[in-house]
C-alpha cells in the first residue's frame, strides 16, 4: 500500500510555515512579551525575574555549582580566572533515579530524601571538607518565582517530577537544611537560576554581546536581558534577565497534530510552544502523522527525536536506516517511496521546530532594539536538539535571515555547551562580589 499522495501533501503542509506566517508569529511573540512587561497576567509566558543582569567577565575565585534540571544531578567546583577563563576543578554526577535501586523523583519520595542525596554529592565535591567556606550557585530548571537572587520558590514540578514537599518551597532553603544535616553548613548557596539564565551568563562571560540564552533540548525555554528593568539589589549589568518560560507561549495556531497531542497529554493547555518544538515532543507528533498515513490513527509507536535524527541523517541510496527504524517501531516494511516520504516528514517537523524557535529569537532581538538599530549580537543556545539534530541549527540561521533581511548579519546563534554548570558558578561569584 502506497501512501495517499494528497493526504501526505496535506500533512506536510500542516508542518510547513512560510516566511509571511513566520513573520506574524515573531510579531505575536513580541506582542505577548510586551503585554507581559506591562502586566504579566496578560502574557501566556510566565516572564520570571531572575534578579541578575550580565556578568562583567571579571568574576574570579572558586565556587561550587549545582546543576539540577533533570534526572541527572551534577555538582562542580569551578575556578573562575576572569577574562572569560575558567577551569573545572572537580565534578560529580549521579541520577536521581536508578530503577530497582532508588527513586527520588517519584511521589513517594520526600524533599528531605532528595536534598540529602544532593548534599551528599556536594560533600563529595568538597572532599568532606567542613571547614572552608564555599559559595554555591544553583541552577534549578523548574518554573519558580523569586524576589531576590537566592529565594526561588518552586511553582510546580515539570518534567515528570513528583517528589513531595518541594512545590511551594524555596529550593535553596531545602538545600541549606540538607547541608546542615550533613554537617556541611560551610557550603552557602548564594544564587539560584534557571538553566536558560545560566547559559546566558556562561556565554556572556566568554563572549561579549550576548543577551539571549536558550535551551533547545528535551524541553525548550529562553531568557533575555531586558534593559528597562532595574532592581535595586539587582546584581550584574545592563538590566535584568527575564526567564520567559516561553515553552508556555500559546498565542500561535496549532496544527491538528499539535491540538490532538495536547488534548491527550498529561497537562492539556500547558507548554503549547514546547510541545511543538522540543525534543520530548517531536517524536510524538511524528508518530501521530505516520499513524494517520498508515490508517492507524491513535496508535503509538514510541518514535523519538533520536529516531528522527537518525532518519534525517540517513543518506544511503536505499534509506536502510529509515526502513530499519520503521520496521522496529512501526512493524511495517514499506516501499521505497513511502520510506522516503517518512524521512521527508521527519525533516519537515524538525524544520518547523527550528523556524519557530528562530521566530522567538528574532522577537527578542526586535524587543531589545526597540525603535533603534539592531546591534551585533550572539544568541547562546545549549541542548541536544540544537547541538545534534540535523537541520536544526541551519534552519534557525535560514529563518533569522528571512525575518531580519540585511540585519541578519548582526545576529548569530552560538552553542554554549555545559553552561548550566558554569553559569551557576558565575552567578555565585556575582552575588558574592557585587
Ligand atoms: C522546561 C522548564 C524550564 C526550563 C526548560 C529547559 O520548559 O519549565 O524552566 O528552562 O524546560 O530545561
Amino acid at each position: 500500500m502506497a501512501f495517499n499522495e494528497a493526504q501526505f501533501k496535506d500533512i506536510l503542509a500542516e508542518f510547513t510555515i512560510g516566511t509571511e506566517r513566520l513573520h506574524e508569529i515573531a510579531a505575536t511573540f513580541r506582542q505577548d512579551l510586551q503585554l507581559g512587561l506591562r502586566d504579566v497576567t496578560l502574557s501566556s509566558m510566565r516572564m520570571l525575574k531572575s534578579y541578575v543582569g550580565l556578568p562583567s567577565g571579571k568574576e574570579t575565585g572558586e565556587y561550587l555549582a549545582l546543576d539540577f534540571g533533570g534526572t541527572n544531578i551534577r555538582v562542580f567546583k569551578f575556578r573562575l580566572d576572569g577574562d572569560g577563563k575558567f577551569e573545572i576543578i572537580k565534578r560529580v554526577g549521579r541520577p536521581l533515579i536508578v530503577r530497582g535501586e532508588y527513586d527520588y523523583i517519584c511521589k513517594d519520595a520526600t524533599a528531605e530524601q532528595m536534598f540529602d542525596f544532593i548534599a551528599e554529592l556536594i560533600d563529595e565535591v568538597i572532599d568532606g571538607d567542613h571547614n572552608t567556606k564555599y559559595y554555591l550557585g544553583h541552577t534549578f530548571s523548574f518554573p519558580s518565582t523569586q524576589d531576590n537572587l537566592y529565594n526561588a520558590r518552586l511553582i510546580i514540578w515539570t518534567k515528570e517530577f513528583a517528589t513531595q514537599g518541594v512545590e511551594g518551597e524555596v529550593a535553596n532553603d531545602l538545600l541549606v537544611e540538607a547541608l546542615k544535616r550533613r554537617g556541611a553548613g560551610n557550603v552557602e548557596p548564594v544564587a539560584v537560576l534557571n538553566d536558560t539564565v545560566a547559559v546566558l551568563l556562561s556565554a556572556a562571560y566568554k563572549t561579549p554581546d550576548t543577551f539571549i540564552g536558550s535551551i533547545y533540548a528535551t524541553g525548550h525555554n529562553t531568557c533575555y536581558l531586558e534593559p528597562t528593568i532595574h532592581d535595586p539589589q539587582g546584581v550584574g549589568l545592563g538590566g535584568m534577565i527575564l526567564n520567559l518560560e516561553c515553552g508556555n507561549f500559546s498565542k500561535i495556531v496549532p496544527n491538528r497534530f499539535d491540538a490532538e497531542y495536547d488534548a491527550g497529554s498529561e497537562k492539556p493547555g500547558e507548554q503549547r510552544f514546547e510541545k511543538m518544538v522540543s525534543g520530548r515532543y517531536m517524536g510524538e507528533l511524528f508518530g501521530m502523522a505516520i499513524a494517520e498515513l498508515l490508517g492507524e490513527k491513535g496508535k503509538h509507536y514510541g518514535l523519538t527525536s533520536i529516531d528522527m535524527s537518525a532518519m534525517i541523517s540517513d543518506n544511503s541510496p536505499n534509506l536502510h536506516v529509515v526502513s530499519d527504524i520503521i520496521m522496529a517501531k512501526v512493524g511495517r516494511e514499506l516501499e521505497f517511496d513511502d520510506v522516503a516520504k517518512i524521512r521527508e516528514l521527519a525533516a519537515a517537523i524538525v524544520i518547523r521546530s527550528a523556524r519557530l524557535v528562530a521566530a522567538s529569537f528574532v522577537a527578542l532581538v526586535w524587543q531589545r532594539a526597540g525603535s533603534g538599530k539592531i546591534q551585533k549580537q550572539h544568541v547562546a543556545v545549549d541542548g541536544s536538539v540544537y547541538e545534534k539534530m540535523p537541520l536544526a541549527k541551519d534552519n534557525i540561521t535560514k529563518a533569522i535571515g528571512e525575518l531580519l533581511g540585511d540585519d541578519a548579519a548582526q545576529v548569530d546563534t552560538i552553542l554554549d555547551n555545559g553552561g548550566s554548570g558554569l553559569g551557576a558558578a558565575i552567578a555565585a561569584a556575582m552575588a558574592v562580589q557585587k
Side-chain angles (χ1 to χ4, degrees):
M1 179 201 84
F3 291 159
N4 176 310
E5 194 68 39
Q7 188 189 19
F8 178 70
K9 283 219 172 93
D10 173 63
I11 291 176
L12 265 198
E14 290 271 15
F15 287 103
T16 306
I17 299 178
T19 306
E20 203 177 317
R21 210 179 129 219
L22 199 64
H23 234 283
E24 284 164 19
I25 290 168
T28 309
F29 192 98
R30 184 183 180 191
Q31 205 175 42
D32 202 32
L33 181 82
Q34 288 180 328
L35 284 172
L37 287 172
R38 237 178 34 221
D39 172 355
V40 82
T41 61
L42 299 175
S43 174
S44 64
M45 302 184 274
R46 287 195 157 99
M47 303 194 34
L48 305 169
K49 289 184 181 176
S50 67
Y51 295 86
V52 70
L54 291 188
S56 65
K58 296 193 175 75
E59 291 75 11
T60 53
E62 278 188 17
Y63 299 92
L64 301 178
L66 163 63
D67 180 11
F68 178 6
T71 45
N72 209 18
I73 298 281
R74 281 175 284 249
V75 182
F76 306 80
K77 185 152 115 188
F78 278 98
R79 197 188 61 236
L80 305 179
D81 297 319
D83 292 330
K85 295 195 190 66
F86 68 93
E87 204 168 314
I88 298 175
I89 300 173
K90 187 152 181 186
R91 69 177 281 172
V92 298
R94 214 160 296 148
L96 281 165
I97 163 170
V98 173
R99 291 206 193 282
E101 282 186 42
Y102 62 84
D103 182 349
Y104 297 122
I105 67 169
C106 67
K107 62 178 181 348
D108 296 329
T110 65
E112 250 183 45
Q113 289 169 331
M114 174 185 252
F115 281 91
D116 280 347
F117 178 79
I118 295 172
E120 191 182 323
L121 291 187
I122 294 173
D123 211 8
E124 200 176 315
V125 167
I126 59 172
D127 299 312
D129 169 6
H130 292 173
N131 298 310
T132 313
K133 178 89 187 168
Y134 294 101
Y135 295 107
L136 177 138
H138 179 181
T139 298
F140 184 66
S141 314
F142 300 93
S144 314
T145 45
Q146 57 194 108
D147 52 31
N148 61 42
L149 189 50
Y150 167 90
N151 67 0
R153 194 180 286 278
L154 177 64
I155 302 169
I156 183 173
W157 276 130
T158 51
K159 313 181 205 190
E160 313 303 320
F161 276 59
T163 315
Q164 292 168 36
V166 189
E167 283 176 339
E169 299 297 323
V170 171
N172 270 345
D173 286 350
L174 298 174
L175 180 61
V176 166
E177 286 159 23
L179 286 164
K180 286 194 181 138
R181 280 195 294 274
R182 227 192 139 75
N186 54 320
V187 175
E188 188 187 340
V190 288
V192 69
L193 63 172
N194 182 256
D195 50 0
T196 56
V197 179
V199 165
L200 177 51
L201 294 185
S202 156
Y205 181 70
K206 295 174 279 193
T207 317
D209 300 326
T210 309
F211 312 104
I212 298 169
S214 185
I215 300 284
Y216 188 13
T218 311
H220 170 65
N221 186 17
T222 301
C223 72
Y224 80 107
L225 181 72
E226 172 52 55
T228 63
I229 302 183
H230 293 279
D231 182 70
Q233 293 131 47
V235 178
L237 307 170
M240 192 184 291
I241 300 173
L242 293 182
N243 162 20
L244 295 176
E245 289 292 329
C246 64
N248 206 39
F249 175 60
S250 66
K251 295 176 183 172
I252 186 170
V253 182
N255 72 21
R256 66 171 188 274
F257 300 100
D258 301 319
E260 201 182 312
Y261 178 76
D262 177 62
S265 68
E266 279 285 324
K267 292 188 173 144
E270 299 278 326
Q271 302 296 92
R272 296 301 299 265
F273 194 60
E274 192 165 62
K275 285 171 182 161
M276 296 169 90
V277 303
S278 84
R280 167 72 180 76
Y281 303 103
M282 278 194 275
E284 307 271 6
L285 298 173
F286 183 47
M288 288 171 72
I290 294 176
E292 194 174 298
L293 283 166
L294 290 170
E296 302 187 320
K297 232 169 158 293
K299 209 161 167 193
H300 290 275
Y301 307 121
L303 285 156
T304 65
S305 57
I306 295 171
D307 295 325
M308 296 169 78
S309 171
M311 287 182 174
I312 298 168
S313 306
D314 181 7
N315 292 312
S316 66
N318 59 352
L319 298 180
H320 70 271
V321 177
V322 186
S323 304
D324 287 354
I325 295 174
I326 297 169
M327 193 60 218
K329 297 232 164 146
V330 181
R332 298 259 192 142
E333 197 167 339
L334 301 178
E335 44 192 80
F336 179 81
D337 274 3
D338 289 350
V339 172
K341 283 195 173 82
I342 286 198
R343 182 170 177 271
E344 200 180 334
L345 178 63
I349 292 172
V350 172
I351 292 170
R352 181 185 75 147
S353 159
R355 288 172 75 75
L356 289 173
V357 167
S360 72
F361 292 165
V362 167
L364 296 173
V365 169
W366 282 339
Q367 172 64 18
R368 282 191 42 85
S371 51
K373 266 174 76 84
I374 290 173
Q375 72 180 106
K376 189 141 193 74
Q377 62 189 292
H378 313 284
V379 178
V381 192
D382 194 10
S384 47
V385 177
Y386 180 75
E387 193 180 352
K388 299 193 184 127
M389 178 68 90
L391 302 175
K393 183 177 169 44
D394 289 354
N395 279 283
I396 290 180
T397 307
K398 185 169 166 282
I400 290 177
E402 282 170 46
L403 295 174
L404 289 182
D406 289 346
D407 285 332
Q410 301 288 84
V411 182
D412 67 356
T413 60
I414 54 172
L415 175 69
D416 191 87
N417 220 333
S420 297
L422 177 59
I426 294 167
M430 291 169 75
V432 173
Q433 295 178 344
K434 68 170 185 265

